[in-house]
Amino acid sequence: MVSRRRSDEPDELLGRLREAVRGEVDASARRRAEYATDASNYRIPPRAVVCPVDAQDVAAALAVARELGVPVTGRGGGTSCAGNSIGPGIVLDFSRHMNAILGVDPDSRTARVQPGVVMSDLQKAAAPFGLRFGPDPSTQNRATFGGMIGNNACGPHAVAFGRTADNVDRLRLLLADGREAAAGPGGLGVDAVDGLAELVAANLAAIRTGLGRFKRQVSGYSLEHLLPENGRNLASFLVGSEGTLALVTEATVRLVPRQASPVLVVLGYPDMASAADDTVPLLAHGPLAVEGLDAQLVDAVRRAKGSVPSLPAGAGWLFVEVGAEGDVDAMTRARALADAAATDAVDIRPAGPEARELWRIRADGAGLGGRTPAGNPAWPGWEDSAVPPENLGAYIREFEALLGSHGLAGLLYGHFGDGCLHIRIDFPLEEDDGRPRFRAFMEEAADLAARFGGSLSGEHGDGRARSELLGRMYGSEILSLFGRVKSLFDPAGVLNPGVLVRPDPLDAHMRRPDARRIEYAGGFHFADDHGDMTRAVHRCTGVGNCRANRFDIGMFMCPSYEATRDEKDVTRGRVRVLQEVANGGLLDWTAPGVLESLDLCLACKACSRDCPTGVDVARYRSEALYRAYKGRRRPMTHYTLGNLPRLAGLVTKVPGLARLANAVMGIGPLRRLGFRLAGVDTRRGMPGFATRRFSRTAQARRLGTAGGADGPPGRSLADGRHVVLWVDSFSETLDTRGARAAVDVLQAAGYTVLLPPGEACCGLTWISTGQLGTAKRKLGRLLSTLAPFAASGVPIVGVEPSCTAVLRSDLEDLLPDDARAPLVKAMTYTLAELLTAPEPVGPGRGWRMPDLAGVEIVAQPHCHHYSVMGWAADEDLLRKAGASVTKVTGCCGLAGNFGMEKGHYEVSVKVAQARLVPALSEAGRDAVFLADGFSCRTQAGQLAGSRGIHLAELIRDGAEAARRRGGS
């Protein structure tokens, strides 16, 4: 136990830490909420979070903790599924500053890294030398080496390259008493721990018979590495000790050659257990990876993505990767392995796009495991068991029977070559009996794994989820040995208490059972989560996809975190703060910490598409602002930018007033004064009002409104090809070019264009500022305008993507009881969706895109376009027309009102400079900048001097679009 002097006064702890540490020290309620949980089921708010800048800071924080009797827990990416990286004292976040790759040595095939280095960053650094780090867990694009060392991470290629323990050469450590030490093979560092060598020598038989029986036996302390025949390797022993024995400040890791062109062999079987039965014979062929996938997991990917590549017949599959060896090429070895398989359902794919698409099933499926096929949330806890590979088939059969006996379900997959099985299970943690049912299953599952000679954990560590169960796997002699090891390294119990030795109960500190239901309060209904916002925010499992940089593969989440690299500004951090409101511990709706957490959220909605759990922080943010400011004074921008459609409507209603307003706001001192009063950053330019509303243009007047010259809304498609052009507030009063071009394009495609009568505002700015009462009234009026057309089968085409997304996303949850909402949603299209739709909605075979061969396009999809509707139809149109398209991923940074608001300018610019501004500067002189979003065009114009055009303008003008200029 933590002993010596106990500090119960937070000011004393904070004061001492701030005196001793150069990095950030934060004990605010918001920061404690962000670090209260990881990717596990557990919640333990720390007393303080420290982000050390170097090993000296780590030593200083540890010294303060030791003197005051405060526990210390190390943390990297915070992706632990077992609760290894949370604790009640000081949490050290190594990922913030201690994230340097100190060197890659291709001659010795080693690299030196700090504990906060993200594993995929090392892979990129080693790639030019033809090298890589062997183990590759699925979280490699956000998992840090500190965490991988703590848990003994493995991944698919561990079957060929071994575990992290097998690939660590040296460690630099801080022991619990503050001494620095080096650990490595040949007994390096063993003498730094008094009594350790003697303890091992006195227990050789127990260690040899009880530990290291198969590769994935990682539960407990891996004392087999300290045996004389294993080289007395203290570094390998400390891998997997979960931060309970020492703090790692630097690691030297071994690298392996990259396989140039591995071949993928996909084998189909009647079920998962049959696939597992065939694993051991295939291992004789020396595969690089042997992964198992279940049919239900493949179905989940199909539902989420729309389709998956074809697989061999079966309901369970092995994905086996094979490389060249000596003079034998990979394809020859792959065919030999396929011939040895106990199945005729075989597909062999050489390295290339087809193989990558098949592997994508495995990657996507792992992310989608947080929901069962029935849509229930699925949780970690028993997500990482392992047995000797020869026992895996029988183990799976009994494990599936155990699940059924408890009325539980989950999606199975795993590293079958190593006997490791992954599954998240739909434990009813939100129910009254959830906790006892969780315990009952966990105890029986531990007994089952032990009966098959297995390990409670195969690579995630035991943490708070499984440490209590170690007694069911090991006898009292081994457990006693673990306790004595802990006492030698950390007699005061300062390092990560409650884990492995003297563990917390597995059902203590659980996050979800302690959360209160958050009922409807007049804003969003959260219908997909049974009307409970708590259930919605607890979709986030903490696996940290939002911390990964996945922009290079076309994803948009999370722009604010990319700019600041602060847990406060990542999707997970924000949801953790809202979970804390639900748990009723540290924060409530009006707490400053809640608003701080949401302040730099761009409301881009990318998390709703890119996060496998389906969180929608933009919606949560809107609801939180609604609740926080209900009946209270709001920030000035809520009254100015939040009312922009109303203000722009007033300015453009009076002839000549818009021109006068533009002239006045073009005078620098007056613009800055006006912006300062409005809460807008004075470094921003004024976008300008349309000097003539769209509805007052000659083009619009020729069309008239529905119910006029073009007939009543009741006219059906059978009477001709009709379409409603929904001209939103932005396209009506700020930039009319897209709407005007859309009329031309739709008419050229053979449509009779109708303009809806009356107000056509969707309430977007009121939604983004949390003024949901006003937003609902706006949407109700809009439904009255658009629903008659939708009911008659007339498609509705939006101009502004963010407004179109409101009808396709937020509308139904704000007005779930209005029968018109799903009708309008179903009939609302983007321009590209309409033009690529089959008849009778689409234009038919008579319409053709203009020839865009030779046209270079830099396209910035609006975040809401990407997140809600998807940009595939647009991209398909452009590429089939022959255009060369560079798609900018991620947000433009302006994000509606976000980038205009005071206090957001620096982040807004940094987001734009990550990809948008470089893409524009690197493009050719005649390149077309395509951006349907008004805010995207505004940002590019202000930061890069680029004039963006709408897709409708590009289609109307064809190859001349790059040279056309026009006003609004």
Side-chain angles (χ1 to χ4, degrees):
M1 294 179 63
V2 176
S3 60
R4 307 176 86 181
R5 181 180 172 195
R6 168 76 186 177
S7 170
D8 290 312
E9 176 53 58
D11 289 343
E12 180 182 7
L13 175 62
L14 283 180
R16 294 288 302 279
L17 285 171
R18 285 172 176 155
E19 287 175 3
V21 174
R22 287 171 295 151
E24 298 100 311
V25 176
D26 195 340
S28 66
R30 189 211 75 236
R31 184 62 100 190
R32 293 171 62 209
E34 291 158 1
Y35 287 77
T37 186
D38 42 22
S40 71
N41 297 327
Y42 301 95
R43 169 190 171 269
I44 301 179
R47 296 180 66 191
V49 176
V50 175
C51 300
V53 299
D54 54 20
Q56 184 179 340
D57 262 4
V58 179
L62 182 58
V64 172
R66 197 168 51 248
E67 182 175 343
L68 298 182
V70 177
V72 174
T73 298
R75 180 178 172 119
T79 57
S80 163
C81 293
N84 325 53
S85 59
I86 57 174
I90 299 168
V91 168
L92 297 175
D93 181 353
F94 288 99
S95 70
R96 184 99 166 107
H97 302 299
M98 293 184 67
N99 52 23
I101 298 172
L102 303 174
V104 176
D105 185 346
D107 296 326
S108 64
R109 291 183 179 174
T110 60
R112 290 173 51 233
V113 297
Q114 290 183 314
V117 168
V118 172
M119 186 248 184
S120 59
D121 289 343
L122 178 61
Q123 302 292 46
K124 292 174 186 175
F129 305 106
L131 300 172
R132 56 163 288 169
F133 187 69
D136 52 351
S138 62
T139 55
Q140 62 178 287
N141 55 10
R142 65 268 194 199
T144 65
F145 272 92
M148 292 174 64
I149 290 167
N151 294 351
N152 199 2
C154 300
H157 290 96
V159 71
F161 303 126
R163 308 154 296 178
T164 298
D166 304 314
N167 291 274
V168 166
D169 187 54
R170 299 280 194 281
L171 296 176
R172 294 191 64 82
L173 311 166
L174 276 170
L175 299 175
D177 61 9
R179 288 179 295 139
E180 294 185 26
L188 178 63
V190 170
D191 292 342
V193 183
D194 291 340
L196 180 60
E198 293 78 8
L199 182 66
V200 172
N203 292 274
L204 292 176
I207 295 171
R208 285 171 175 150
T209 57
L211 298 171
R213 292 177 287 103
F214 71 105
K215 186 189 293 187
R216 288 298 187 98
Q217 184 185 350
V218 306
S219 283
Y221 292 135
S222 298
L223 285 159
E224 70 273 13
H225 293 292
L226 296 178
L227 292 170
E229 61 266 32
N230 292 334
R232 300 178 69 235
N233 193 327
L234 183 64
S236 294
F237 159 71
L238 287 170
V239 175
S241 59
E242 304 183 33
T244 63
L245 302 182
L247 294 171
V248 175
T249 58
E250 183 184 315
T252 301
V253 298
R254 289 187 285 273
L255 305 175
V256 298
R258 299 176 70 90
Q259 283 283 339
S261 299
V263 174
L264 174 63
V265 181
V266 183
L267 305 169
Y269 300 88
D271 51 45
M272 285 280 278
S274 299
D277 290 336
D278 203 23
T279 296
V280 172
L282 302 181
L283 294 176
H285 292 262
L288 299 174
V290 183
E291 296 292 288
L293 279 77
D294 181 70
Q296 290 190 86
L297 183 137
V298 174
D299 288 342
V301 176
R302 185 178 290 110
R303 286 192 298 271
K305 304 296 182 180
S307 65
V308 297
S310 61
L311 294 168
W317 293 272
L318 291 180
F319 279 37
V320 187
E321 191 175 72
V322 181
E325 186 174 284
D327 295 331
V328 184
D329 64 84
M331 183 59 74
T332 300
R333 297 187 68 236
R335 288 176 178 141
L337 181 143
D339 289 342
T343 178
D344 295 326
V346 178
D347 188 6
I348 300 178
R349 298 289 178 178
E354 291 180 340
R356 285 195 296 272
E357 284 302 306
L358 287 165
W359 273 119
R360 176 71 65 182
I361 300 174
R362 164 66 173 82
D364 290 341
L368 293 167
R371 291 266 156 178
T372 67
N376 297 321
W379 306 96
W382 193 258
E383 82 295 335
D384 185 41
S385 59
V387 298
E390 60 269 22
N391 297 340
L392 184 59
Y395 173 64
I396 288 175
R397 291 181 181 93
E398 294 207 27
F399 180 75
E400 288 180 323
L402 179 64
L403 280 173
S405 70
H406 283 262
L408 300 172
L411 301 176
L412 286 169
Y413 63 100
H415 312 303
F416 278 22
D418 282 334
C420 185
L421 188 66
H422 288 328
I423 182 173
R424 287 174 177 262
I425 300 171
D426 60 347
F427 299 115
L429 298 183
E430 58 210 53
E431 304 297 333
D432 292 340
D433 63 345
R435 209 184 301 251
R437 288 182 63 185
F438 175 72
R439 169 173 285 279
F441 178 85
M442 292 288 288
E443 291 175 346
E444 290 188 46
D447 292 341
L448 178 65
R451 183 155 57 82
F452 280 94
S455 180
L456 312 181
S457 172
E459 61 180 334
H460 294 170
D462 298 306
R464 301 175 189 282
R466 294 176 285 271
S467 293
E468 183 195 343
L469 301 171
L470 287 172
R472 293 172 180 264
M473 175 180 168
Y474 295 116
S476 59
E477 184 178 14
I478 293 293
L479 280 188
S480 174
L481 192 55
F482 290 165
R484 291 157 71 189
V485 168
K486 172 72 171 175
S487 294
L488 291 177
F489 277 87
D490 182 22
V494 170
L495 298 178
N496 214 12
V499 172
L500 292 180
V501 173
R502 295 184 291 277
D504 288 343
L506 62 85
D507 52 1
H509 311 298
M510 297 195 79
R511 170 168 51 90
R512 187 61 182 93
D514 292 336
R516 305 168 303 175
R517 183 178 175 88
I518 299 178
E519 300 282 0
Y520 172 70
F524 282 100
H525 287 260
F526 299 100
D528 289 343
D529 294 287
H530 306 290
D532 180 9
M533 188 180 178
T534 292
R535 192 178 172 101
V537 298
H538 277 280
R539 282 176 174 264
C540 176
T541 58
V543 295
N545 272 305
C546 44
R547 285 176 60 103
N549 186 328
R550 300 186 295 169
F551 299 102
D552 58 343
I553 60 171
M555 296 191 176
F556 281 50
M557 179 180 71
C558 172
S560 57
Y561 179 71
E562 185 194 26
T564 70
R565 310 303 293 177
D566 190 332
E567 184 75 15
K568 173 178 78 72
D569 301 318
V570 75
T571 302
R572 180 181 69 182
R574 294 184 177 110
V575 177
R576 291 302 189 225
V577 167
L578 295 175
Q579 287 176 358
E580 198 60 37
V581 174
N583 282 72
L586 302 174
L587 298 162
D588 59 29
W589 291 115
T590 61
V594 173
L595 302 178
E596 290 167 8
S597 175
L598 300 173
D599 180 53
L600 292 183
C601 174
L602 283 77
C604 67
K605 280 187 174 288
C607 50
S608 68
R609 184 175 187 89
D610 292 343
C611 177
T613 66
V615 300
D616 185 349
V617 174
R619 182 172 293 181
Y620 306 162
R621 174 183 178 273
S622 180
E623 179 72 17
L625 293 175
Y626 172 72
R627 291 172 183 257
Y629 289 114
K630 199 171 185 180
R632 299 175 60 209
R633 182 177 176 82
R634 289 175 167 270
M636 180 55 67
T637 53
H638 288 200
Y639 300 108
T640 54
L641 297 177
N643 278 281
L644 181 59
R646 186 176 290 158
L647 297 174
L650 291 173
V651 171
T652 57
K653 186 175 183 178
V654 179
L657 185 56
R659 195 180 306 278
L660 176 62
N662 291 340
V664 170
M665 295 304 285
I667 301 171
L670 293 179
R671 175 183 54 78
R672 287 191 290 273
L673 175 61
F675 277 12
R676 192 173 295 113
L677 293 173
V680 174
D681 195 290
T682 57
R683 289 166 287 187
R684 282 291 179 187
M686 178 68 186
F689 300 102
T691 54
R692 177 175 293 157
R693 285 183 171 192
F694 169 77
S695 59
R696 290 178 178 171
T697 63
Q699 187 181 35
R701 287 174 175 170
R702 282 195 300 271
L703 293 174
T705 57
D710 288 308
R715 180 173 290 181
S716 71
L717 284 175
D719 301 317
R721 196 180 297 277
H722 292 78
V723 64
V724 170
L725 181 64
W726 171 39
V727 182
D728 55 88
S729 300
F730 301 101
S731 304
E732 166 74 5
T733 62
L734 297 176
D735 186 349
T736 67
R737 290 177 296 149
R740 287 187 278 125
V743 172
D744 294 334
V745 170
L746 291 169
Q747 288 179 332
Y751 291 97
T752 298
V753 179
L754 309 177
L755 297 180
E759 183 179 350
C761 181
C762 66
L764 171 66
T765 59
W766 288 277
I767 294 173
S768 64
T769 54
Q771 301 179 79
L772 298 181
T774 302
K776 288 185 175 189
R777 290 191 292 274
K778 294 282 184 181
L779 282 169
R781 287 194 284 269
L782 183 59
L783 286 178
S784 296
T785 298
L786 296 180
F789 299 103
S792 298
V794 179
I796 301 160
V797 174
V799 179
E800 168 63 36
S802 55
C803 296
T804 307
V806 170
L807 299 193
R808 294 275 288 270
S809 175
D810 290 338
L811 168 64
E812 272 195 305
D813 203 62
L814 285 169
L815 301 174
D817 299 324
D818 193 323
R820 300 171 300 175
L823 190 62
V824 168
K825 173 184 176 179
M827 291 304 296
T828 299
Y829 295 80
T830 67
L831 179 61
E833 287 175 336
L834 182 81
L835 295 177
T836 57
E839 295 188 83
V841 173
R845 298 181 180 180
W847 178 81
R848 292 286 183 273
M849 274 283 288
D851 183 4
L852 298 178
V855 176
E856 179 188 1
I857 296 174
V858 176
Q860 170 70 72
H862 191 286
C863 292
H864 291 189
H865 194 154
Y866 163 83
S867 302
V868 177
M869 290 84 71
W871 203 69
D874 301 67
E875 189 165 16
D876 186 57
L877 265 182
L878 297 173
R879 295 199 187 278
K880 285 183 177 178
S884 171
V885 181
T886 298
K887 183 173 74 171
V888 180
T889 56
C891 186
C892 73
L894 189 60
N897 58 300
F898 173 84
M900 300 294 290
E901 293 179 348
K902 191 182 302 181
H904 295 169
Y905 182 81
E906 287 78 10
V907 169
S908 174
V909 171
K910 195 168 184 179
V911 170
Q913 290 175 338
R915 277 166 302 280
L916 174 59
V917 172
L920 292 171
S921 64
E922 293 164 9
R925 186 183 64 179
D926 291 332
V928 174
F929 173 48
L930 179 64
D932 285 0
F934 173 70
S935 60
C936 305
R937 297 194 297 271
T938 301
Q939 180 83 319
Q942 293 192 2
L943 300 185
S946 296
R947 177 183 178 276
I949 64 172
H950 192 280
L951 176 64
E953 295 178 86
L954 176 62
I955 296 174
R956 180 192 63 192
D957 301 337
E960 294 299 310
R963 291 176 288 278
R964 290 185 66 93
R965 295 292 183 266
S968 61

